[in-house]
């Protein structure tokens, strides 16, 4: 039985964290027989190696090589400090440091090239961004071997085959399954634990890509599916998925069990536990995904499964996303005219803004949708030009952006087919004197979202959380 375990940045963020991680790997390797480890770049809060690398490339783009040169010793220190503590002085330590130095000089050369050209391509950005994982797995694998647990560092460029959508690539399933099995199974048979880079993959012709920021979770589940692991565990620095953000509600609770669908909704609506795409690969085969805390391994965490026993009408969690704008396209002339919505959304797509929520009144006199605030000016100007002729004849009266709004979402598969959940939800918001600007519910009936003002979202979350705890 194989267990895939992915360790996040804080779980490999220092020598101490790596020690803890190594103990966890050994414990579960003994229990499960074989394990595959996927790891992020080192990232002890607030310094994340991936951020440093990408910041370096951005500085280079402005010609600021001084900044790059200042980053180099920082990056070296983060990795060398861990090596010095974990690997005894000698040849192995020297060789490992040389390897890190090779990556760092590669980073510096690439930044040099970017600064000459004043241009950075998405593929250069991926080559740079992925180096954090390439360095961390080498340290972790060397340390595992040092402890007597045979381990081999593997760049996922050898396993995960992707399209060429650099910085946000999508895996090609068949090729990935084939390569992953070919490469990993012989190691597992020999009792060697593969320590694989998260975050990265490669195009069919071998150019490094990345799966999007935070994509190591996704790597874990892609590899889990490829080798048909029994379970995929995501080790992080919190106890699991919580009923809400504990910074807003200190007594938020860890949720023991959730469905894939519930977690997808939560991730989409702002709960930062898992990469939103991480569920997809394991969902198809029903492989359970478990979230556990490296720094509190005894806690059972949250297990994410295909189906669970539902308590009818129960809401599992409440989340909020801030810094959004609500865009409205309004006008009596839209009544019965087809194609307005299609043109509006096509225009938004051209700005590359992502739409988080849509609502249209059945009178068809307004369409409104929510986008990140940072994209709102571009969206409005695109819509103004798309509908300029309708605006001239006043078929469309106004296109406006309501800034400073937030989305508050409740999630729970148990609300499917149960009347009264939205009633309770809206009553609780009303009792807290929170004005609801727009409402949307997906037909999956797994979440209901409302748009509220930015200032009221925290209060809204607190009052809805009280309701969840009392149900
Ligand atoms: N290191 C990558 C990032 O910071 C991927 C990950 O940690 O999940 O985005
Ligand atoms: Mg993460």
């Amino acid at each position: 039985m194989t267990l895939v375990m992915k360790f996040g940045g804080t779980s490999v963020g220092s020598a101490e964290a790596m020690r803890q991680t190594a103990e966890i790997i050994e414990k579960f390797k003994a229990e499960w027989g074989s394990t595959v480890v996927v790891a992020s770049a080192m990232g002890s809060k607030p310094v994340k190696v991936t951020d440093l690398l990408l910041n370096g490339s951005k500085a280079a783009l402005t010609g600021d090589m001084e900044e790059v040169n200042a980053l180099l010793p920082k990056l070296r220190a983060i990795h060398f400090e861990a090596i010095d503590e974990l690997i005894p002085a000698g040849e192995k330590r020297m060789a490992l440091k040389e390897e890190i130095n090779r990556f760092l000089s590669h980073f510096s050369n690439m930044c040099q090239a970017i600064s000459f050209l004043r241009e950075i391509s998405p593929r250069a950005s991926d080559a740079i961004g992925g180096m954090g994982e390439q360095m961390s797995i080498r340290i972790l694998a060397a340390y595992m071997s040092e402890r007597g647990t045979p381990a081999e560092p593997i760049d996922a460029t050898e396993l995960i085959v992707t399209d060429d959508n650099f910085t946000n690539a999508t895996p090609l399933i068949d090729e990935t399954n084939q390569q992953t099995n070919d490469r990993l199974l012989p190691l597992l048979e020999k009792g060697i634990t593969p320590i694989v880079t998260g975050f990265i993959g490669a195009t069919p012709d071998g150019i490094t890509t990345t799966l999007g920021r935070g994509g190591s979770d996704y790597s874990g589940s892609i590899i889990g599916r490829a080798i048909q692991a029994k379970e995929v565990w995501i080790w992080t620095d919190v106890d699991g998925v919580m009923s809400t953000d504990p910074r807003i509600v200190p007594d938020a609770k860890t949720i023991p069990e959730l469905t894939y669908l519930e977690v997808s909704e939560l991730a989409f609506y702002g709960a930062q536990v898992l990469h939103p795409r991480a569920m997809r690969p394991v969902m198809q085969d029903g492989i359970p995904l478990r979230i556990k805390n490296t720094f509190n391994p005894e806690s059972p965490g949250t297990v994410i499964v295909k189906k669970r026993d539902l308590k009818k009408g129960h809401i599992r969690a409440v989340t909020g996303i801030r810094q959004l704008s609500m865009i409205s396209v309004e006008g009596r002339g839209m009544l019965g005219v087809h194609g307005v919505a299609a043109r509006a959304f096509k225009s938004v797509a051209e700005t590359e803004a992502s739409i988080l929520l849509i609502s249209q009144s059945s009178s068809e006199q307004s369409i409104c949708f929510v986008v990140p605030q940072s994209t709102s000016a571009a969206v409005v100007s695109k819509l103004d030009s798309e509908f300029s002729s309708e605006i001239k004849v006043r078929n469309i009266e106004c296109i406006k952006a309501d800034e400073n709004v937030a989305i508050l979402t409740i999630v729970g598969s148990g609300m499917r087919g149960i009347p009264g959940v939205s009633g309770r939800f809206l009553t609780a918001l009303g009792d807290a004197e929170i004005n609801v600007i727009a409402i949307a519910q997906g037909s999956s009936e797994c979440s209901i979202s409302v748009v509220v003002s930015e200032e009221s979202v925290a209060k809204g979350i607190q009052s809805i959380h009280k309701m969840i705890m009392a149900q």
Side-chain angles (χ1 to χ4, degrees), residues 325 327 344-356 369-380 382:
S325 294
I327 313 288
F345 295 134
K346 189 168 158 277
S347 307
V348 179
E350 281 162 12
T351 68
E352 292 188 3
S354 63
I355 297 179
L356 293 153
F369 50 88
V370 176
V371 295
Q373 213 166 73
S374 56
T375 63
S376 110
V379 168
V380 170
K382 195 85 190 174

Side-chain angles (χ1 to χ4, degrees), residues 95-392:
L96 192 54
K97 284 186 169 176
E98 253 168 51
E99 256 188 300
I100 302 296
N101 274 334
R102 264 202 300 279
F103 280 109
L104 293 179
S105 70
H106 192 44
F107 164 68
S108 156
N109 291 339
M110 292 199 56
C111 288
Q112 192 70 257
I114 291 167
S115 124
F116 276 137
L117 297 170
R118 295 292 165 95
E119 183 185 68
I120 181 168
S121 62
R123 81 164 66 186
S125 169
D126 277 356
I128 291 175
M131 280 185 209
E133 273 73 6
Q134 292 179 302
M135 294 189 277
S136 70
I137 60 151
R138 284 167 169 77
I139 302 176
L140 182 59
Y143 174 55
M144 295 300 305
S145 303
E146 188 61 41
R147 291 168 62 104
T149 299
E152 186 172 320
I154 295 178
D155 291 325
T157 48
E158 291 186 60
L159 311 181
I160 299 179
V161 187
T162 72
D163 63 10
D164 61 359
N165 186 14
F166 292 97
T167 73
N168 199 20
T170 297
L172 307 176
I173 296 171
D174 293 338
E175 292 85 335
T176 299
N177 289 353
Q178 182 75 42
Q179 290 205 18
T180 305
N181 281 296
D182 288 353
R183 181 73 172 94
L184 298 188
L185 295 188
L187 294 178
L188 294 177
E189 267 156 33
K190 281 188 240 157
I192 297 171
T193 300
I195 315 272
V196 183
T197 53
F199 192 37
I200 62 176
T203 60
D205 42 8
I207 319 277
T208 303
T209 53
T210 67
L211 305 171
R213 290 303 311 269
S216 294
D217 299 338
Y218 193 24
S219 311
S221 76
I222 293 167
I223 290 168
R225 191 226 354 237
I227 62 166
Q228 288 292 302
K230 193 91 173 103
E231 289 194 11
V232 174
W233 292 8
I234 307 284
W235 289 90
T236 177
D237 53 8
V238 292
D239 280 347
V241 182
M242 312 222 44
S243 49
T244 196
D245 184 343
R247 285 166 302 185
I248 299 175
V249 182
D251 66 346
K253 301 271 181 303
T254 305
I255 307 172
E257 198 182 30
L258 285 165
T259 64
Y260 298 127
L261 193 62
E262 287 172 326
V263 176
S264 307
E265 299 276 333
L266 278 171
F268 184 78
Y269 284 113
Q272 284 173 349
V273 184
L274 264 186
H275 188 272
R277 290 207 277 175
M279 235 80 52
R280 252 188 261 165
V282 288
M283 242 165 131
Q284 283 145 10
D285 297 327
I287 301 171
L289 201 64
R290 201 178 284 274
I291 299 175
K292 286 184 65 81
N293 188 349
T294 304
F295 307 98
N296 185 17
E298 302 311 319
S299 155
T302 298
V303 62
I304 304 163
V305 292
K306 201 172 198 157
K307 268 206 179 118
R308 60 179 181 84
D309 286 338
L310 300 174
K311 277 220 183 109
K312 289 212 157 78
H314 265 202
I315 301 165
R316 301 296 278 176
V318 54
T319 65
I321 325 182
R322 295 152 194 259
Q323 288 172 353
L324 304 175
S325 294
M326 193 171 83
I327 313 288
S328 324
V329 179
E330 287 172 14
R332 296 219 185 113
M334 286 163 58
L335 198 92
V337 178
H338 51 251
V340 175
R343 280 167 60 203
F345 295 134
K346 189 168 158 277
S347 307
V348 179
E350 281 162 12
T351 68
E352 292 188 3
S354 63
I355 297 179
L356 293 153
L357 176 151
I358 302 171
S359 147
Q360 189 196 345
S361 66
S362 52
S363 72
E364 295 185 45
Q365 295 185 44
S366 82
I367 302 172
C368 66
F369 50 88
V370 176
V371 295
Q373 213 166 73
S374 56
T375 63
S376 110
V379 168
V380 170
S381 97
K382 195 85 190 174
L383 289 169
D384 276 337
S385 68
E386 173 67 33
F387 290 111
S388 59
S389 50
E390 283 83 355
I391 293 170
K392 228 183 246 155

Side-chain angles (χ1 to χ4, degrees), residues 67-77 103-105 107-108:
E67 174 64 21
V68 175
N69 291 333
L71 282 172
L72 281 168
K74 259 192 219 164
L75 284 162
R76 189 170 293 114
F103 280 109
L104 293 179
S105 70
F107 164 68
S108 156

